[in-house]
Amino acid sequence: MTIMDSTLGVAGPSPYKSRRDWLNAFGVIEILMGGAFLLFAIVILWAAGATMPSNAISPPARMVGTALLYGLLAAVFVAGGIGSMLCKNWARIVMLAVSSLWLGFGLMVALILAFIVPAITQQRHGNFPAEGQHAMMVIIFTLVAALGVLLPAIFLFFYSRKSVRATCLAQDAAQFSTPEGGGIAASGLPVPLVILGVWQALGVLSLLTSSMRADPVFGVVLRGMAAFLVVLARAVLDGYAAWAIFRQQLIG
């Protein structure tokens, strides 16, 4: 009689320890973060509605676009959290892509705060005391380092561990196992392609939610309909590239 392995829930010994409890914990954190993003989206939409004139037809497009972005992040984190709690390998791949992009943005912001913003602040003359400026920069940099660098680095480290991957694959194999005891092999997009595809998809969203009234092209600032058409064309190209990448086509 075959004894099911207690660590991964599949037949046979496994060299890796089950990370089901940790996957549950990270899943709860992701769901809470998704709830926070959803709250931000609701607050932004409420603020847009409260500040728009009474004779306006709709809230400002930029605020609606920002709320849409937060709503998308909420959906991604909630879905990733639920999938993580269910030990789904697709959720592990999604969180690898999200945490990689998250860490990249956080590092860029941290570098800007560390090297560019202090130089700009020193050149500006205002009534704000230098000690207050320094304290404010330290607080902002600490928050960015903690939320934009340390937190995504923890997510990336956890979801890239071999034991986490083995736990998720074992769960998938147990769910789709055949009566003979076999399982369906986990196949799909490589993680780097997922990250690249998500990056291209975010490019579409950022273009469509940004202001289309002006757009610089090769040193020339286009305005009006010309700027709108250029931004729309770039969004279409980014969208096609993301679609082709997810289909593993070289043209993407």
Side-chain angles (χ1 to χ4, degrees):
M1 178 177 179
T2 302
I3 299 177
M4 301 298 288
D5 188 278
S6 60
T7 59
L8 291 178
V10 295
S14 173
Y16 300 110
K17 184 179 179 181
S18 175
R19 301 297 179 185
R20 182 180 295 273
D21 292 339
W22 281 103
L23 283 166
N24 288 332
F26 273 80
V28 171
I29 295 174
E30 291 156 23
I31 292 174
L32 292 176
M33 293 177 64
F37 284 128
L38 181 60
L39 180 61
F40 291 157
I42 295 174
V43 170
I44 292 173
L45 287 177
W46 175 83
T51 56
M52 75 174 180
S54 57
N55 58 349
I57 299 177
S58 61
R62 183 172 297 181
M63 298 185 72
V64 173
T66 303
L68 178 63
L69 178 60
Y70 279 121
L72 177 62
L73 290 174
V76 170
F77 273 89
V78 170
I82 295 175
S84 180
M85 296 177 70
L86 295 176
C87 299
K88 297 297 185 180
N89 193 52
W90 63 260
R92 182 187 68 88
I93 295 176
V94 167
M95 293 313 302
L96 277 175
V98 170
S99 57
S100 299
L101 297 175
W102 181 8
L103 179 60
F105 280 117
L107 288 174
M108 286 191 295
V109 173
L111 290 175
I112 291 174
L113 288 175
F115 297 102
I116 298 178
V117 174
I120 297 176
T121 305
Q122 291 177 1
Q123 295 177 358
R124 296 182 61 183
H125 300 282
N127 298 325
F128 200 69
E131 295 80 4
Q133 292 181 3
H134 178 73
M136 182 177 65
M137 286 301 303
V138 169
I139 294 174
I140 294 176
F141 183 81
T142 302
L143 290 175
V144 170
L147 300 179
V149 178
L150 180 60
L151 189 57
I154 293 174
F155 273 79
L156 186 61
F157 170 77
F158 173 74
Y159 283 104
S160 61
R161 298 191 65 181
K162 293 181 179 180
S163 58
V164 175
R165 180 177 182 271
T167 303
C168 295
L169 292 180
Q171 176 64 28
D172 289 346
Q175 181 177 358
F176 297 104
S177 59
T178 62
E180 290 77 13
I184 296 177
S187 61
L189 281 176
V191 174
L193 281 184
V194 175
I195 296 174
L196 182 59
V198 172
W199 181 275
Q200 290 295 136
L202 287 176
V204 177
L205 183 62
S206 64
L207 286 171
L208 295 180
T209 56
S210 63
S211 176
M212 297 185 182
R213 298 178 180 178
D215 186 61
V217 179
F218 298 110
V220 179
V221 179
L222 301 178
R223 300 182 184 278
M225 182 58 66
F228 173 80
L229 292 177
V230 169
V231 172
L232 184 61
R234 288 165 55 192
V236 171
L237 288 175
D238 279 347
Y240 176 75
W243 177 81
I245 288 170
F246 285 126
R247 292 181 62 86
Q248 303 187 50
Q249 296 180 356
L250 183 60
I251 191 174

